[in-house]
Amino acid sequence: MPTHSGELRDLLYRDTIAALSSAPGKGAIAVVRLSGAETEKIVRKIFRPKDPEGDFENRKFRVGRFVGADGGAFDEGMAVMFFGPGSYTGENMAELYCHGGPGIVRALLVAASEAGARPAGPGEFTKRAFLAGKIDLLQCESVADLVSAETRRAAQAALSHLDSGLSKTLESIWEKIVEAGAHLEAAIDFPDEFEPGAGPAVQGKPMDEKELARRFMEVRDALEGLEKTYNSGRILREGARMAILGRSNAGKSTLLNRLLGEERAIMSPTPGTTRDTVEEVCDIGGIPVRLIDTAGIRETGDPVELEGTKRARRAAAGSDICLVVVDAAAGPEEVRWANAELGELDCLAIMVANKMDLPHAKAPGRSKFSGKAACVCPVSALTGEGIENLRETMASTLIGNEGDEFGGNQLFLARERHRDLVVRCKKAIERGAEGLNNTTSPELVAVDLNEAQRALSELLGRDYGQALLDKIFSTFCIGK
Ligand SMILES: Nc1nc2c(ncn2[C@@H]2O[C@H](COP(=O)(O)OP(=O)(O)OP(=O)(O)O)[C@@H](O)[C@H]2O)c(=O)[nH]1
Ligand SMILES: [Mg+2]
């Protein structure tokens, strides 16, 4: 991986940074991190080891006391050195473990600062790792995603990016584009040989226009496969919104409480109980889902209820999927009502046939909602029957199996930046393939291929500007 020398040199020789890496506030233990050329010198000034005869060894803890500029000790803890270039940032680094009181942390940061460190900016440790060529830009982004993952599954998706899953897939696409570029270049340099079956020998068999166009389409399909994973990736990273809609008294609030496992919303036999929307995040099959309980929809002259109904529709419009709750004991008219009243929402829906514990309850068979097929989940929000199946249906409807396409690695595009660049690359490849099929001059096809390469390059962080770095790292925690 290339190092990014200019900026790196500045960073390496100018300053050593320090920051609290654990969460701020009171805790049992806090971790302060340092990185930069002066790290060891600073640690020796602010940490007095219990075994003064010993010395720092790479990645080995030492017990001792933290001291301020006046030489007074203020805490007991541990220090560990990570010597470059094998460290996270590639520079000399240290982690100091102190007791997690805000007073101690402040004193330790002041001591580090007085000894020559400056406070780190957001994500500056990871930025240094990037500039030192230790990790690529996609991996940097996955570090931030890992830190902010709300569920185990979201963390797994981020981890697969950190393990270079996405980088490797993109690298293999890059290589195919470079190979196609070499053949195209040869066609430009030796135009007479750009005939079917002829052409100069470029890395193995020569390629004619047809073969090149076929290769272009292969690349295009791979990019499209990646693009398709975006919605699922976004949902895993940012969470999904799911409004619970239905007629008054269908059991929406009871369902919300059942899914949350706590009595969050008020439930009652009186229709019109829920007036305003009630939101809560829960883990559905590893996906962070914001459930929004809404006011029941019914004809009413009550202005508060009318406003509640408006808010319910607004919540539905901003949702990834809606749960349409119907009272299964109220007859088939309930489903017709749901379609008539909510059909204009035009959103993906799961139909929840509630109150299945009642003697006359009957769940509708396959259902359509807003003209689209909708899964029907028979449940009893009261007893919990069918809730596990509903959870599974919610998870599979939200994420599907797109992530499995890449060798079962659960690879997802999780950021808009990634999706946009994949689409830009795909479009350029499509234009190139079209050019080849229409026997456009190879020079023009080469322009498209260059554009595809530029997009991939930007995605992999080989080609980046300060603005992009600032944007990415500004979302990081300080200390990461
Ligand atoms: N038997 C049975 N009763 C249920 C079930 N779910 C909800 N109920 C009852 O139906 C009534 C209405 O429940 P809520 O959860 O308040 O209904 P809602 O859809 O939120 O109603 P609004 O907020 O008024 O729109 C309450 O008396 C619940 O106990 C169920 O699965 N089985
Ligand atoms: Mg309610």
Side-chain angles (χ1 to χ4, degrees):
M1 205 176 285
T3 58
H4 308 260
S5 55
E7 209 170 335
L8 173 65
R9 226 184 355 255
D10 278 1
L11 289 169
L12 277 178
Y13 299 114
R14 220 175 40 212
D15 30 30
T16 294
I17 51 173
L20 172 67
S21 283
S22 50
K26 218 182 223 175
I29 287 168
V31 184
V32 167
R33 258 175 154 190
L34 292 128
S35 180
E38 298 286 294
T39 299
E40 193 179 346
K41 212 160 106 192
I42 295 170
V43 171
R44 287 186 190 280
K45 278 189 197 165
I46 64 176
F47 181 74
R48 214 173 274 149
K50 243 184 178 169
D51 62 332
E53 291 79 38
D55 205 353
F56 283 106
E57 285 177 56
N58 197 23
R59 296 167 186 261
K60 291 257 168 70
F61 279 100
R62 291 180 90 186
V63 178
R65 293 200 156 190
F66 297 109
V67 293
D70 60 0
F74 54 84
D75 189 26
E76 190 163 71
M78 292 191 289
V80 57
M81 283 292 308
F82 302 85
F83 293 107
S87 68
Y88 179 64
T89 58
E91 309 169 328
N92 279 358
M93 283 185 76
E95 283 182 9
L96 309 176
Y97 294 75
C98 60
H99 288 106
I104 293 171
V105 169
R106 220 173 298 125
L108 190 50
L109 287 172
V110 167
S113 158
E114 283 174 349
R118 72 150 168 87
E124 201 170 347
F125 293 90
T126 306
K127 189 176 180 184
R128 288 184 177 207
F130 168 68
L131 291 172
K134 305 276 299 184
I135 54 176
D136 65 29
L137 208 53
L138 290 167
Q139 289 171 309
C140 289
E141 289 170 315
S142 67
V143 169
D145 294 346
L146 204 48
V147 171
S148 54
E150 298 253 8
T151 63
R152 183 188 148 102
R153 196 163 170 190
Q156 282 172 325
L159 190 63
S160 79
H161 285 199
L162 189 61
D163 288 342
S164 303
L166 185 56
S167 309
K168 278 184 196 145
T169 303
L170 292 171
E171 293 283 356
S172 79
I173 292 175
W174 170 270
E175 274 160 28
K176 282 187 185 147
I177 293 179
V178 168
E179 194 196 353
H183 284 267
L184 209 58
E185 195 89 348
I188 293 167
D189 293 342
F190 308 97
D192 296 342
E193 294 174 51
F194 199 55
E195 299 285 339
V202 189
Q203 287 181 6
K205 273 191 185 166
M207 277 188 216
D208 59 30
E209 285 155 310
K210 255 200 194 134
E211 173 62 11
L212 259 179
R214 198 186 61 74
R215 294 284 182 101
F216 272 43
M217 290 317 279
E218 256 178 41
V219 169
R220 182 214 165 270
D221 292 347
L223 289 163
E224 187 164 271
L226 271 178
E227 183 196 346
K228 278 191 187 152
T229 66
Y230 172 67
N231 199 39
S232 302
R234 175 188 64 81
I235 284 175
L236 269 182
R237 194 170 91 87
E238 294 170 8
R241 287 179 70 83
M242 202 179 272
I244 307 178
L245 302 172
R247 231 171 184 174
S248 292
N249 249 9
K252 300 178 294 300
S253 301
T254 312
L255 180 65
L256 173 86
N257 292 344
R258 174 63 67 182
L259 286 167
L260 290 176
E262 61 177 280
E263 302 232 332
R264 171 71 177 82
I266 302 168
M267 317 160 278
S268 95
T270 317
T273 303
T274 307
R275 296 292 187 105
D276 204 349
T277 49
V278 175
E279 301 192 13
E280 206 63 58
V281 177
C282 71
D283 180 337
I284 301 285
I287 306 163
V289 177
R290 178 168 291 275
L291 287 168
I292 309 155
D293 182 22
T294 64
I297 295 168
R298 64 168 179 159
E299 298 240 324
T300 172
D302 178 349
V304 179
E305 254 192 86
L306 268 177
E307 179 56 29
T309 305
K310 257 194 218 159
R311 289 182 186 199
R313 290 180 193 278
R314 220 179 297 143
S319 289
D320 294 288
I321 297 183
C322 294
L323 291 183
V324 177
V325 185
V326 293
D327 180 344
E333 196 269 330
E334 277 277 297
V335 177
R336 277 198 293 277
W337 174 90
N339 263 303
E341 272 298 320
L342 301 169
E344 91 281 4
L345 288 173
D346 192 29
C347 62
L348 268 181
I350 296 171
M351 193 157 281
V352 182
N354 191 30
K355 308 198 183 183
M356 288 302 291
D357 56 290
L358 291 177
H360 304 296
K362 192 167 182 306
R366 286 164 163 262
S367 179
K368 271 194 165 179
F369 183 74
S370 320
K372 294 176 194 143
C375 286
V376 178
C377 292
V379 307
S380 165
L382 197 67
T383 65
E385 175 195 333
I387 293 294
E388 244 349 274
N389 174 51
L390 173 62
R391 282 176 172 281
E392 281 163 22
T393 307
M394 286 161 79
S396 62
T397 314
L398 279 170
I399 297 278
N401 294 318
E402 291 99 328
D404 290 335
E405 280 185 29
F406 297 90
N409 269 342
Q410 289 278 307
L411 208 55
F412 298 103
L413 290 185
R415 292 176 174 234
E416 216 174 331
R417 181 184 92 83
H418 303 168
R419 198 263 320 261
D420 290 352
L421 287 167
V422 163
V423 169
R424 206 174 104 193
C425 184
K426 184 188 86 173
K427 285 194 173 148
I429 293 288
E430 274 170 358
R431 281 196 303 275
E434 213 179 287
L436 284 167
N437 286 330
N438 297 335
T439 55
T440 310
S441 78
E443 281 90 346
L444 287 179
V445 177
V447 171
D448 294 323
L449 214 53
N450 275 342
E451 161 68 4
Q453 267 179 306
R454 265 200 306 277
L456 268 193
S457 216
E458 208 177 301
L459 186 49
L460 285 161
R462 291 178 181 156
D463 182 11
Y464 61 90
Q466 193 58 42
L468 176 65
L469 287 196
D470 290 347
K471 191 170 169 214
I472 290 175
F473 289 104
S474 67
T475 62
F476 269 67
C477 316
I478 288 181
K480 187 62 215 161

